Amino acid sequence: MIESVLGKSVAANLSTGGTVTGDLTITGNLGVGGDASINLTSVVSNSTIIDATGTEAFLVRKDSDGGDVFLVDTTNSNAELAGDLTITNTAANTGFTVNQSGAAIALLINQDANTRALYIDTQATSAEAIHIDAPTQNAGNIIFIESADALTTGAAIRVDSGGTALQSTAAGGLVEIIHSGDSDTNVNNLLFIHNADGGSTGTIPLWIDQDSDNHALYIDATSAVSMNKHVVKIVHNDGSTLNATNIASGQACGGIHIDKTGDADGTGSYIKLSSNTDACQSAIAHIQVDANNADLAFYTDNDGTLTEAMRIDDSQNVGI
């Protein structure tokens, strides 16, 4: 029986096909024997449940068998989408959420093409573009990056200001590490660089290439809580005998080397010392005499003027 829009039940024989004009209400179940093709040109209202078990329990494809667009596999509890997925969310809530309680990867991006695997374009003015919250993790790595061994150009991590310099009022930098609000005295290092490859003789753990007119390295320890620590401490385990040969050749590693590039008499390198002022109050200078010789000069402050107090020349003569 078919109920018409007028509320009357009428008999209809559709065994050989036919067309129903107007609304159609079916009381009870609708069974279709064999393949069925349903063309929908309007909105399907209310809830729709697909109760089926199969690798293609629900399949949306284009051009008949021209390619799968969306597939729900209820046998393996998977869903696959071929093509782009766009989520437009104007509400004040999360646009895309992955809830993972099993011991597996929550989100996996497999990029086989030579392009970005993840691209984030944010219009935020003060909020983070990426925020990672791991309050319960006490082992392993919160962020782990494993670069290819064949990396010959580029970098594993690159932070680019986009050609726009930081504002002079910016308190931080392009990379900022902050540790605050924690009384744990077991925190050892905010930045730890470990070159564990003993055979990699060409690897420098930290390289600073400064092209601008400012300090290459600046350390501010004026707010240090404990004053019984050194601002810079170098620890080494080199047992080489300290002599002129080992020092000159660099075989003894427990030292500091300041090298002036270029070859010009009268030039050199120096260590500048002062207290409570940016002016120089004392200094130790290496001064080139010629291509193979140099003097070592000591300077002190004489009533506001830096004056040479002693010099050891290239002939080991001492002048005061």
Side-chain angles (χ1 to χ4, degrees):
M1 300 296 291
I2 298 178
E3 183 177 342
S4 68
V5 294
L6 299 179
K8 296 181 179 180
S9 298
V10 296
N13 184 5
L14 300 178
S15 61
T16 58
T19 301
V20 176
T21 301
D23 296 337
L24 175 64
T25 301
I26 299 176
T27 302
N29 298 326
L30 173 65
V32 179
D35 295 334
S37 176
I38 301 175
N39 296 323
L40 300 176
T41 58
S42 60
V43 179
V44 178
S45 301
N46 300 323
S47 62
T48 301
I49 299 175
I50 299 176
D51 190 359
T53 301
T55 56
E56 294 182 347
F58 181 75
L59 175 62
V60 178
R61 62 188 185 184
K62 63 179 180 180
D63 299 331
S64 183
D65 200 15
D68 297 345
V69 177
F70 181 68
L71 170 65
V72 177
D73 178 0
T74 55
T75 299
N76 301 299
S77 300
N78 293 328
E80 298 180 7
L81 174 67
D84 297 335
L85 172 63
T86 300
I87 300 175
T88 302
N89 181 22
T90 58
N93 49 31
T94 304
F96 181 69
T97 301
V98 178
N99 293 320
Q100 171 67 297
S101 58
I105 299 174
L107 178 62
L108 174 63
I109 300 176
N110 187 8
Q111 173 61 279
D112 295 326
N114 184 23
T115 187
R116 300 177 179 91
L118 178 63
Y119 183 86
I120 299 176
D121 182 5
T122 176
Q123 303 300 318
T125 57
S126 59
E128 303 93 343
I130 299 176
H131 182 94
I132 298 176
D133 189 5
T136 61
Q137 183 166 350
N138 54 20
N141 306 287
I142 296 178
I143 299 177
F144 179 77
I145 299 176
E146 184 176 6
S147 62
D149 293 337
L151 185 64
T152 57
T153 60
I157 300 176
R158 177 175 177 177
V159 181
D160 193 341
S161 64
T164 303
L166 290 175
Q167 297 293 325
S168 59
T169 56
L174 291 180
V175 177
E176 186 174 6
I177 301 175
I178 299 176
H179 176 69
S180 61
D182 190 351
S183 59
D184 186 0
T185 58
N186 294 322
V187 176
N188 294 321
N189 311 289
L190 294 184
L191 177 62
F192 181 72
I193 301 175
H194 184 199
N195 181 16
D197 188 357
S200 181
T201 57
T203 301
I204 298 176
L206 178 61
W207 179 291
I208 300 175
D209 185 5
Q210 172 65 291
D211 295 329
S212 64
D213 186 17
N214 210 326
H215 307 289
L217 178 63
Y218 185 89
I219 300 175
D220 185 358
T222 56
S223 299
V225 176
S226 176
M227 291 291 106
N228 60 350
K229 301 297 183 181
H230 304 290
V231 175
V232 177
K233 181 179 180 180
I234 300 175
V235 179
H236 69 93
N237 191 28
D238 186 5
S240 303
T241 301
L242 284 181
N243 53 42
T245 302
N246 287 344
I247 294 176
S249 62
Q251 295 301 314
C253 70
I256 298 175
H257 185 188
I258 302 176
D259 187 15
K260 162 67 175 63
T261 59
D263 188 5
D265 295 346
T267 63
S269 304
Y270 65 91
I271 298 175
K272 174 182 174 181
L273 304 171
S274 62
S275 58
N276 198 33
T277 177
D278 194 44
C280 183
Q281 294 178 320
S282 59
I284 302 173
H286 155 91
I287 304 174
Q288 178 176 320
V289 176
D290 54 44
N292 298 313
N293 300 286
D295 294 348
L296 185 63
F298 298 83
Y299 297 84
T300 57
D301 186 7
N302 183 9
D303 196 20
T305 302
L306 193 67
T307 305
E308 182 174 332
M310 183 178 69
R311 176 179 291 222
I312 304 175
D313 64 16
D314 59 312
S315 298
Q316 286 77 51
N317 296 318
V318 178
I320 298 177

